[in-house]
């Protein structure tokens, strides 16, 4: 999500070679060329920010866009010029919106998977000793007897893949 200026600084910091803004721009453009769906997602997120004033995660949870940023977008600031303070505000809000949709959707899918799995196992005594221990990003840590571990893993996998139907 970084623009060419920030990307050049990041690449230069972690390398003995200095990366110019132009090199970073070329790298960024080649990345988006290799993954055109990602560029479409970035652009679509910006359009939703502009049109609705919010972005939506997979189950409908919303992140409302800062009203000051919406005003800046209305007057043509798209976040492309990093030497412009207003553009940096727009760019930061755009990155936050992109991350919100991805991270919130991931969390929502995980919670739905847990809920659906839990509902399923409540009616079967074989699962009496199954316990959720923790979640780490997009993983569930479950404690269960070894003899049913594969069955538990299979059911969890099923619910993680089928809790929501994606377009």
């Amino acid at each position: 999500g970084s623009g060419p200026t920030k990307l050049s600084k990041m690449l230069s910091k972690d390398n003995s070679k200095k990366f110019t803004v132009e090199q970073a721009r070329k790298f960024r453009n080649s990345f988006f060329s290799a993954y055109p769906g990602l560029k479409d997602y970035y652009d679509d997120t910006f359009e939703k920010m502009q049109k609705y004033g919010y972005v939506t995660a997979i189950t409908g949870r919303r992140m409302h866009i800062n009203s000051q940023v919406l005003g800046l977008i209305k007057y043509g600031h798209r976040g492309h010029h990093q030497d412009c303070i207003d553009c940096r505000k727009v760019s930061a809000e755009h990155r936050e919106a992109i991350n919100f949709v991805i991270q919130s959707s991931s969390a929502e899918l995980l919670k739905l998977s847990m809920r659906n799995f839990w509902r399923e196992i409540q009616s079967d005594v074989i699962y009496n000793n199954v316990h959720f221990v923790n979640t780490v990003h997009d993983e569930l840590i479950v404690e269960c007897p070894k003899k049913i571990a594969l069955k538990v893993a299979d059911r969890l996998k099923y619910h993680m893949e089928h809790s929501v139907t994606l377009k």
Side-chain angles (χ1 to χ4, degrees):
S2 299
T5 304
K6 185 174 181 180
L7 186 58
S8 73
K9 289 176 185 174
M10 287 173 23
L11 290 171
S12 296
K13 187 175 95 174
D14 296 336
N15 239 310
S16 58
K17 182 182 173 199
K18 176 145 174 58
F19 283 83
T20 66
V21 173
E22 187 54 35
Q23 288 172 313
R25 181 177 285 109
K26 286 179 183 176
F27 175 80
R28 189 173 188 268
N29 290 342
S30 68
F31 183 81
F32 281 131
S33 293
Y35 302 99
L38 190 57
K39 180 73 168 116
D40 293 343
Y41 171 69
Y42 273 51
D43 294 343
D44 183 56
T45 302
F46 192 88
E47 287 173 24
K48 287 178 180 171
M49 286 172 55
Q50 187 175 20
K51 183 176 181 179
Y52 303 114
Y54 60 85
V55 292
T56 308
I58 206 163
T59 62
R61 186 174 179 200
R62 291 180 181 177
M63 178 191 124
H64 290 272
I65 306 306
N66 178 301
S67 60
Q68 181 186 17
V69 169
L70 287 174
L72 294 170
I73 292 170
K74 181 179 178 183
Y75 290 103
H77 293 279
R78 292 190 57 86
H80 297 303
H81 305 286
Q82 288 305 304
D83 55 340
C84 164
I85 292 172
D86 291 339
C87 292
R88 284 197 299 263
K89 288 177 185 176
V90 171
S91 184
E93 192 82 359
H94 185 208
R95 282 191 309 277
E96 196 173 317
I98 288 167
N99 290 336
F100 169 83
V101 173
I102 293 168
Q103 292 174 355
S104 287
S105 295
S106 175
E108 291 167 359
L109 289 171
L110 188 68
K111 290 171 190 168
L112 287 169
S113 301
M114 289 172 64
R115 182 200 66 193
N116 294 346
F117 172 76
W118 194 252
R119 286 179 177 169
E120 177 187 320
I121 70 171
Q122 293 305 297
S123 60
D124 193 337
V125 292
I126 192 173
Y127 295 110
N128 280 353
N129 291 319
V130 175
H131 306 282
F132 285 113
V133 176
N134 201 357
T135 61
V136 180
H137 302 292
D138 62 346
E139 297 178 15
L140 295 171
I141 300 172
V142 177
E143 195 173 74
C144 67
K146 197 173 195 171
K147 65 183 178 183
I148 64 166
L150 290 176
K151 187 172 184 170
V152 168
D154 181 58
R155 297 312 304 152
L156 274 170
K157 182 178 185 286
Y158 172 82
H159 287 293
M160 289 183 85
E161 292 175 347
H162 295 91
S163 288
V164 171
T165 303
L166 301 174
K167 297 178 192 175

